[in-house]
Amino acid sequence: MATIRAALDRVLAHHEPYPAVVMDRHWNLTQANRSAEVMFARLRGTPPATASANVIRLMFDPRELRPHVANWDEVAPALIQRVHREAVGGIPDATTRALLEEVLPPGWRELDRTAPLVPVIPVTFAKDGLTVSYFSMITTVGTPQDITAQELRVESFYPADRETERHRWT
């Protein structure tokens, strides 16, 4: 894992000045670059502790990021479908099911197999007069033979407009 951690450190550093995070299979943050830390701190009022922060909880909790997602009606359904579809084999394990029951309203806890697959989820964050728009790409790590690495994902945020491209979280 030391080699993988070093590679992830490099990926995160080279994605600056834009936010990027590493998550495990249950959407728990394991690493974040400086821009992501500053972005989360600005939106939340405090940076999330990567050891305990969960991206799904951060996004759906009305005391966390949710109030600052300007296009929530577009983001929420697409994110829910992503959570369901990214579960191993499309079948959520006990930890994922518990997470979904904790944060989602009852009608959103099951996969909607008729919902279209959205390859890119645009998200616009807005707070205190600052508005930034991103789309993100998910990169999986490792191979099926390396289960520990395979469960890691890098989410890299890319500017969706010129204003966001010029914005720096530092």
Side-chain angles (χ1 to χ4, degrees):
M1 283 302 288
T3 303
I4 292 168
R5 289 270 177 229
L8 291 171
D9 288 343
R10 267 197 121 123
V11 167
L12 294 176
H14 284 281
H15 195 66
E16 295 286 357
Y18 307 114
V21 298
V22 178
M23 302 171 287
D24 67 15
R25 68 184 283 193
H26 297 114
W27 298 272
N28 297 309
L29 288 177
T30 62
Q31 291 174 259
N33 70 3
R34 180 73 181 136
S35 292
E37 291 171 351
V38 173
M39 178 181 77
F40 286 134
R42 172 90 187 265
L43 294 171
R44 297 177 70 238
T46 181
T50 54
S52 62
N54 180 281
V55 172
I56 302 305
R57 283 188 188 100
L58 290 173
M59 288 297 288
F60 282 89
D61 190 326
R63 298 162 304 197
E64 295 284 351
L65 297 178
R66 182 177 176 170
H68 310 298
V69 178
N71 60 334
W72 179 251
D73 291 339
E74 179 182 6
V75 170
L79 185 56
I80 291 164
Q81 292 306 310
R82 177 183 279 177
V83 169
H84 284 292
R85 292 180 192 276
E86 287 181 5
V88 176
I91 301 170
D93 60 18
T95 302
T96 301
R97 280 194 306 277
L99 174 65
L100 294 175
E101 290 201 17
E102 174 191 335
V103 301
L104 300 180
W108 286 5
R109 292 181 187 159
E110 298 298 324
L111 173 63
D112 178 358
R113 297 193 187 280
T114 64
L117 291 173
V118 181
V120 174
I121 302 173
V123 60
T124 300
F125 294 109
K127 184 177 180 185
D128 299 333
L130 172 67
T131 300
V132 289
S133 297
Y134 293 103
F135 67 91
S136 67
M137 302 282 291
I138 304 287
T139 304
T140 57
V141 179
T143 65
Q145 292 79 28
D146 185 353
I147 195 71
T148 305
Q150 181 190 11
E151 292 181 351
L152 295 175
R153 289 175 269 180
V154 178
E155 184 166 14
S156 304
F157 293 85
Y158 295 89
D161 57 36
R162 288 262 188 231
E163 292 79 25
T164 302
E165 189 171 358
R166 287 191 293 269
H167 180 73
R168 300 297 182 258
W169 285 105
T170 55

